[in-house]
Coordinates of all heavy atoms in Angstrom, one line a residue:
M1 N -54.1 9.6 54.1 CA -55.2 9.4 53.2 C -56.5 9.2 54.0 O -57.6 9.7 53.6 CB -55.0 8.3 52.3 CG -53.9 8.4 51.3 SD -54.1 9.9 50.2 CE -52.9 11.0 50.9
D2 N -56.5 8.4 55.1 CA -57.7 8.2 55.9 C -58.1 9.6 56.5 O -59.3 9.8 56.6 CB -57.4 7.2 57.0 CG -57.3 5.8 56.5 OD1 -57.7 5.5 55.3 OD2 -56.7 4.9 57.2
L3 N -57.2 10.4 57.0 CA -57.5 11.7 57.6 C -58.1 12.6 56.5 O -59.1 13.3 56.8 CB -56.3 12.3 58.2 CG -55.8 11.7 59.5 CD1 -54.4 12.1 59.8 CD2 -56.8 12.1 60.6
F4 N -57.6 12.6 55.3 CA -58.1 13.4 54.2 C -59.6 12.9 53.9 O -60.4 13.8 53.6 CB -57.3 13.2 52.9 CG -56.0 14.1 52.9 CD1 -55.1 13.9 51.9 CD2 -55.8 15.0 53.9 CE1 -53.9 14.7 51.9 CE2 -54.6 15.8 53.9 CZ -53.7 15.6 52.9
D5 N -59.8 11.6 54.0 CA -61.2 11.1 53.7 C -62.2 11.6 54.8 O -63.4 11.6 54.5 CB -61.1 9.6 53.7 CG -62.4 9.0 53.2 OD1 -63.0 9.5 52.2 OD2 -62.9 8.0 53.8
K6 N -61.7 12.0 55.9 CA -62.6 12.4 57.0 C -62.9 13.9 56.9 O -63.7 14.4 57.7 CB -61.9 12.1 58.4 CG -61.8 10.6 58.6 CD -61.1 10.4 59.9 CE -61.2 8.9 60.3 NZ -62.6 8.5 60.6
R7 N -62.3 14.6 56.0 CA -62.6 16.1 55.9 C -64.0 16.3 55.4 O -64.5 15.6 54.5 CB -61.6 16.7 54.9 CG -60.1 16.7 55.3 CD -59.2 17.3 54.3 NE -59.3 16.5 53.0 CZ -58.5 16.7 52.0 NH1 -57.6 17.7 52.0 NH2 -58.6 16.0 50.9
V8 N -64.6 17.4 55.9 CA -65.9 17.8 55.4 C -65.6 19.3 54.9 O -65.2 20.1 55.6 CB -66.9 17.8 56.5 CG1 -68.2 18.4 56.0 CG2 -67.1 16.4 57.0
F9 N -65.9 19.5 53.6 CA -65.7 20.8 53.0 C -66.9 21.6 53.0 O -68.1 21.1 52.9 CB -65.2 20.6 51.5 CG -63.8 20.1 51.4 CD1 -63.6 18.7 51.2 CD2 -62.7 20.9 51.5 CE1 -62.3 18.2 51.1 CE2 -61.4 20.5 51.4 CZ -61.2 19.1 51.2
Q10 N -66.7 22.9 53.0 CA -67.8 23.9 53.0 C -67.4 25.0 52.0 O -66.3 25.5 52.1 CB -68.1 24.5 54.3 CG -69.3 25.5 54.3 CD -69.7 25.9 55.7 OE1 -69.0 25.6 56.7 NE2 -70.7 26.7 55.8
E11 N -68.3 25.3 51.1 CA -68.1 26.3 50.1 C -68.2 27.7 50.8 O -69.2 27.9 51.5 CB -69.0 26.2 48.9 CG -68.7 27.2 47.8 CD -69.5 26.9 46.5 OE1 -70.5 26.2 46.6 OE2 -69.1 27.5 45.5
V12 N -67.3 28.6 50.5 CA -67.3 29.9 51.1 C -67.4 30.9 50.0 O -66.6 30.9 49.0 CB -66.0 30.2 51.9 CG1 -66.0 31.6 52.5 CG2 -65.8 29.2 53.0
K13 N -68.5 31.7 50.0 CA -68.7 32.7 49.0 C -68.0 34.0 49.4 O -68.0 34.4 50.5 CB -70.2 33.0 48.9 CG -71.0 31.8 48.6 CD -71.8 31.9 47.4 CE -72.8 30.7 47.3 NZ -72.5 29.9 46.2
R14 N -67.3 34.6 48.5 CA -66.5 35.8 48.7 C -67.0 36.9 47.8 O -67.1 36.7 46.6 CB -65.0 35.5 48.5 CG -64.5 34.5 49.4 CD -63.0 34.2 49.0 NE -62.5 33.1 49.9 CZ -61.6 32.3 49.5 NH1 -61.1 32.3 48.3 NH2 -61.2 31.3 50.3
S15 N -67.2 38.0 48.3 CA -67.8 39.1 47.5 C -66.7 39.6 46.5 O -65.5 39.9 46.9 CB -68.2 40.3 48.3 OG -67.2 40.8 49.1
G16 N -67.0 39.7 45.3 CA -66.1 40.2 44.2 C -65.1 39.2 43.8 O -64.3 39.5 42.9
R17 N -65.0 38.0 44.4 CA -64.0 37.0 44.0 C -64.7 35.7 43.8 O -65.9 35.5 44.3 CB -62.9 36.9 45.1 CG -62.1 38.1 45.2 CD -60.9 37.8 46.1 NE -61.3 37.6 47.5 CZ -60.5 37.3 48.4 NH1 -59.2 37.0 48.2 NH2 -60.9 37.1 49.7
A18 N -64.0 34.7 43.3 CA -64.5 33.4 43.1 C -64.7 32.8 44.5 O -63.9 33.0 45.4 CB -63.6 32.6 42.2
S19 N -65.7 31.9 44.6 CA -65.9 31.2 45.9 C -64.8 30.2 46.1 O -64.1 29.8 45.2 CB -67.2 30.5 45.9 OG -67.3 29.5 44.9
G20 N -64.6 29.8 47.3 CA -63.5 28.8 47.7 C -64.1 27.8 48.6 O -65.3 27.8 48.9
W21 N -63.2 26.9 49.1 CA -63.6 25.9 49.9 C -62.8 25.9 51.2 O -61.6 26.1 51.1 CB -63.5 24.5 49.2 CG -64.4 24.4 48.1 CD1 -64.3 24.8 46.8 CD2 -65.7 23.8 48.1 NE1 -65.3 24.5 46.0 CE2 -66.3 23.9 46.8 CE3 -66.5 23.2 49.1 CZ2 -67.5 23.4 46.5 CZ3 -67.8 22.7 48.8 CH2 -68.3 22.8 47.5
I22 N -63.4 25.5 52.3 CA -62.7 25.4 53.6 C -63.0 24.0 54.2 O -64.0 23.4 53.8 CB -63.0 26.5 54.6 CG1 -64.5 26.4 55.0 CG2 -62.6 27.8 54.1 CD1 -64.9 27.2 56.2
I23 N -62.1 23.5 55.0 CA -62.4 22.3 55.7 C -63.2 22.6 57.0 O -62.7 23.2 57.9 CB -61.1 21.5 56.1 CG1 -60.2 21.3 54.9 CG2 -61.4 20.2 56.9 CD1 -58.8 20.8 55.2
K24 N -64.5 22.3 56.9 CA -65.4 22.7 58.0 C -65.0 22.0 59.3 O -65.2 22.6 60.4 CB -66.8 22.4 57.6 CG -67.8 22.8 58.7 CD -69.2 22.6 58.3 CE -70.2 23.1 59.4 NZ -71.5 22.7 59.1
N25 N -64.6 20.8 59.3 CA -64.3 20.1 60.5 C -62.8 20.0 60.9 O -62.4 19.2 61.7 CB -64.9 18.6 60.4 CG -64.2 17.8 59.4 OD1 -63.6 18.3 58.4 ND2 -64.3 16.5 59.5
N26 N -62.0 20.9 60.4 CA -60.6 20.9 60.7 C -60.4 21.3 62.2 O -61.1 22.2 62.7 CB -59.8 21.9 59.8 CG -58.4 21.5 59.7 OD1 -58.0 20.4 60.1 ND2 -57.6 22.4 59.1
G27 N -59.7 20.5 62.9 CA -59.5 20.7 64.3 C -60.4 19.8 65.1 O -60.3 19.6 66.3
E28 N -61.4 19.2 64.4 CA -62.4 18.3 65.0 C -62.4 16.9 64.4 O -63.3 16.1 64.6 CB -63.8 18.9 64.9 CG -63.9 20.2 65.6 CD -65.2 20.9 65.3 OE1 -66.1 20.3 64.6 OE2 -65.4 22.0 65.8
I29 N -61.3 16.6 63.6 CA -61.2 15.3 62.9 C -60.8 14.3 63.9 O -59.8 14.4 64.6 CB -60.2 15.4 61.7 CG1 -60.7 16.4 60.7 CG2 -60.0 14.0 61.1 CD1 -59.7 16.7 59.6
V30 N -61.6 13.2 64.0 CA -61.4 12.1 64.9 C -61.0 10.9 64.2 O -61.6 10.5 63.2 CB -62.7 11.8 65.7 CG1 -62.5 10.6 66.7 CG2 -63.1 13.1 66.5

């Protein structure tokens, strides 16, 4: 839960489809 709280999300726009979200800091979570 603490690691989940450290996630930073970024919205990703996709052409022709609904936008989605990615974890921008995945791999860099301290």
Side-chain angles (χ1 to χ4, degrees):
M1 293 301 108
D2 289 342
L3 287 164
F4 281 172
D5 188 44
K6 292 177 171 292
R7 297 177 297 185
V8 175
F9 288 98
Q10 181 174 7
E11 188 172 12
V12 179
K13 306 237 187 242
R14 300 176 182 149
S15 60
R17 293 190 290 172
S19 62
W21 294 86
I22 62 167
I23 304 171
K24 184 178 180 186
N25 63 336
N26 208 7
E28 299 170 2
I29 298 171
V30 175

